[in-house]
């Protein structure tokens, strides 16, 4: 299986914007963006499932928007009003397979779950793209 491929990271000043993009081959049930800063646990940022449901981390609500370009099959994360605490490696992840439930983006113990109660983890991960926000 071909893993997701991310692009669009970079360095910006606080208050600036960036757009991350990810391409995923094949059918996916959930697609999400996660991030990990040095010395911190990986955390979920945003999710979009194949029914159009979205979820966002509280820390990014109102600033980040997740969307899918059906023409290019690209999963985009539009980030605005970036702050230094948004600096991290950003990863695109997908779940191939799923069920009749709304996807989640919780992470615990080094794993990130599309459905925590079922133990269903995101099973396709990209290499990551770095976002650095300076004050």
């Amino acid at each position: 299986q071909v893993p997701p491929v991310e692009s669009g990271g970079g360095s910006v000043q606080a208050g600036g914007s960036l757009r991350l993009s990810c391409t995923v081959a094949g059918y996916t049930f959930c697609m999400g963006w996660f991030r990990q800063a040095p010395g911190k646990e990986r955390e979920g940022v945003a999710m979009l499932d194949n029914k159009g449901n979205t979820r966002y981390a509280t820390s990014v609500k109102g600033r980040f928007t997740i969307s899918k370009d059906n023409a290019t099959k690209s999963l985009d994360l539009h980030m605005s009003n970036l702050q230094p605490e948004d600096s991290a490696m950003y990863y695109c992840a997908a779940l191939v397979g799923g069920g009749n439930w709304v996807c989640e983006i919780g992470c615990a113990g080094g794993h990130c779950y599309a459905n925590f109660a079922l133990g269903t983890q995101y099973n396709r991960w990209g290499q990551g793209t770095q976002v650095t926000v300076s004050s």
Side-chain angles (χ1 to χ4, degrees), residues 8-12 16-20 77-80 82 130-132:
S11 298
V12 293
S17 300
L18 281 175
R19 185 185 76 176
L20 306 183
L77 184 68
H78 299 262
M79 306 184 293
S80 62
L82 283 159
Q130 179 67 39
V131 171
T132 302

Side-chain angles (χ1 to χ4, degrees), residues 17-34:
S17 300
L18 281 175
R19 185 185 76 176
L20 306 183
S21 294
C22 168
T23 54
V24 182
Y27 172 79
T28 56
F29 183 63
C30 315
M31 292 185 69
W33 285 96
F34 297 79

